[in-house]
Amino acid sequence: MPEYGYFLSCEEFGPAELVEQARMAEQAGFRSLWISDHYHPWNDAQGQSPFVWSVIGALSEAVSLPIETAVTCPTVRIHPAVIAQAAATSAVMTDGRFRLGVGTGEALNEHILGHVWPPASVRMEMLEESIQIMRRLFTGEEVSHYGTHYKVENARLYTVPDEPVPIDISGFGPAATKLAARVGDGYITMMPEESMVEQFRKGGGGGKPVSGGTKVCYGTDRDEAVRTVREKWFNQFLPGEMGQILPSPRHFEQLEPLVTEEMVREKSVCGDDVDEHVSALRAFADVGFDRVYVNQIGPDQRGFFDFYRTKVLPQLDQG
């Protein structure tokens, strides 16, 4: 049976709110935490974007739950040697309860220093090379690297955990899933698609963990919950590669009219129907996920955690 965790949204909440949500998640019975890593929110209605590594430091003192970034892009905005230091320190602060989730990123966050945003195939090359660098640095040995995309000279991490930080790779299509199976310590994806899980397992993923996440909006007024999702997270209903290539929140906002309340009503979990929430999470369990993370959209965080503590999590068998 999978383990159920809570997904902290750095796009929608400030640092103090995220720490309080983590405390409530632990009290409600969630077993672990995901936390997003963004420079910008997807749109101004979300309204936040704290530096994830500072928040992880606070979380390490506030809760005892395992923590994972979902996900960090260690290729453009921040050099992989610096991400390696941040991840190693996070693992030390959490007594080894930290995993580094990585992906090829979005222009929304990564183009801010004026670098050219590469095509997907190049971004995957960069991601693989960055993972090689970080794993070498996690050993605590001095590293020099002269590669296709990165240079490292005489770098050594002096603060490292007893065991190397596990690196899970995010993938939403066959190429990224293949990379995750070949070089990842685990696999992350956001849809309960059995074909992707099978590809990962057969491509070399074997018994490595598969993690997934979903967003819901608990509330006693379903119509209001639908409106909240459309206002704050319409971006998740946009098709194709727009999520990877649009460079700023205002560009996403220009596409908001494409997403209707009816689309949200059909494609997301809104309201207080227990069976609907349970079914959405069991969909991941049914296709072989090991960890499932859920995020509550909107302001009613305490209501969500009470609802899941008393009505949803008791119906879900946890591994």
Side-chain angles (χ1 to χ4, degrees):
M1 291 295 103
E3 172 184 283
Y4 293 93
Y6 188 70
F7 189 177
L8 297 164
S9 171
C10 282
E11 302 95 314
E12 194 179 341
F13 299 98
E17 293 172 300
L18 294 167
V19 172
E20 180 59 23
Q21 288 171 20
R23 290 193 183 103
M24 290 191 289
E26 187 167 35
Q27 293 166 2
F30 288 99
R31 300 283 185 84
S32 54
L33 298 171
W34 262 3
I35 185 167
S36 56
D37 180 357
H38 270 239
Y39 194 89
H40 294 137
W42 296 97
N43 56 71
D44 281 1
Q46 292 172 357
Q48 292 287 339
S49 206
F51 188 53
V52 70
W53 302 105
S54 300
V55 180
I56 289 171
L59 293 173
S60 72
E61 292 295 306
V63 298
S64 62
L65 299 178
I67 303 166
E68 178 167 16
T69 53
V71 295
T72 291
C73 179
T75 60
V76 178
R77 171 171 44 110
I78 305 179
H79 193 283
V82 179
I83 295 294
Q85 185 184 27
T89 299
S90 297
V92 170
M93 293 184 72
T94 58
D95 295 323
R97 292 176 286 104
F98 177 78
R99 299 180 75 92
L100 178 63
V102 299
T104 57
E106 304 94 14
L108 174 71
N109 303 302
E110 305 304 321
H111 85 293
I112 59 169
L113 302 181
H115 299 300
V116 172
W117 184 236
S121 59
V122 175
R123 299 201 307 270
M124 278 194 282
E125 290 178 6
M126 296 171 72
L127 181 61
E128 183 169 0
E129 187 176 338
S130 77
I131 291 170
Q132 294 170 355
I133 293 168
M134 291 189 292
R135 283 193 170 134
R136 290 180 63 192
L137 287 166
F138 290 154
T139 66
E141 299 176 357
E142 184 177 294
V143 173
S144 292
H145 171 92
Y146 303 92
T148 302
H149 301 287
Y150 302 105
K151 180 188 294 184
V152 178
E153 289 188 342
N154 308 118
R156 179 185 171 189
L157 297 182
Y158 280 79
T159 300
V160 293
D162 293 335
E163 298 293 333
V165 179
I167 301 176
D168 298 338
I169 299 176
S170 172
F172 303 111
T177 303
K178 182 179 180 180
L179 177 65
R182 184 164 55 83
V183 305
D185 294 310
Y187 176 48
I188 292 172
T189 189
M190 297 302 289
M191 296 297 293
E193 294 185 9
E194 188 172 13
S195 61
M196 293 291 97
V197 176
E198 289 181 354
Q199 182 189 345
F200 174 74
R201 298 287 189 209
K202 293 178 180 178
K208 297 175 183 177
V210 175
S211 302
T214 189
K215 292 183 176 294
V216 304
C217 188
Y218 162 79
T220 55
D221 184 331
R222 188 166 192 264
D223 291 337
E224 182 181 355
V226 168
R227 290 191 292 270
T228 297
V229 173
R230 184 181 180 276
E231 175 195 8
K232 294 184 178 294
W233 285 92
F234 66 84
N235 58 280
Q236 66 181 336
F237 303 99
L238 297 174
E241 293 185 75
M242 285 184 280
Q244 284 71 53
I245 64 176
L246 295 180
S248 76
R250 71 175 181 274
H251 291 99
F252 284 92
E253 289 164 1
Q254 291 169 7
L255 300 178
E256 181 181 2
L258 298 177
V259 179
T260 65
E261 287 189 9
E262 189 57 33
M263 291 170 61
V264 173
R265 195 181 303 275
E266 291 178 359
K267 297 181 180 181
S268 60
V269 176
C270 295
D272 59 355
D273 185 318
V274 177
D275 291 341
E276 189 175 3
H277 284 262
V278 169
S279 177
L281 299 183
R282 279 189 174 153
F284 289 88
D286 290 345
V287 297
F289 280 71
D290 301 291
R291 301 187 181 106
V292 185
Y293 296 81
V294 59
N295 169 256
Q296 162 71 357
I297 294 172
D300 192 6
Q301 296 293 315
R302 189 164 296 280
F304 164 85
F305 285 113
D306 287 344
F307 177 66
Y308 266 66
R309 176 179 58 82
T310 59
K311 297 184 178 180
V312 178
L313 291 180
Q315 294 196 41
L316 298 167
D317 296 322
Q318 295 209 53

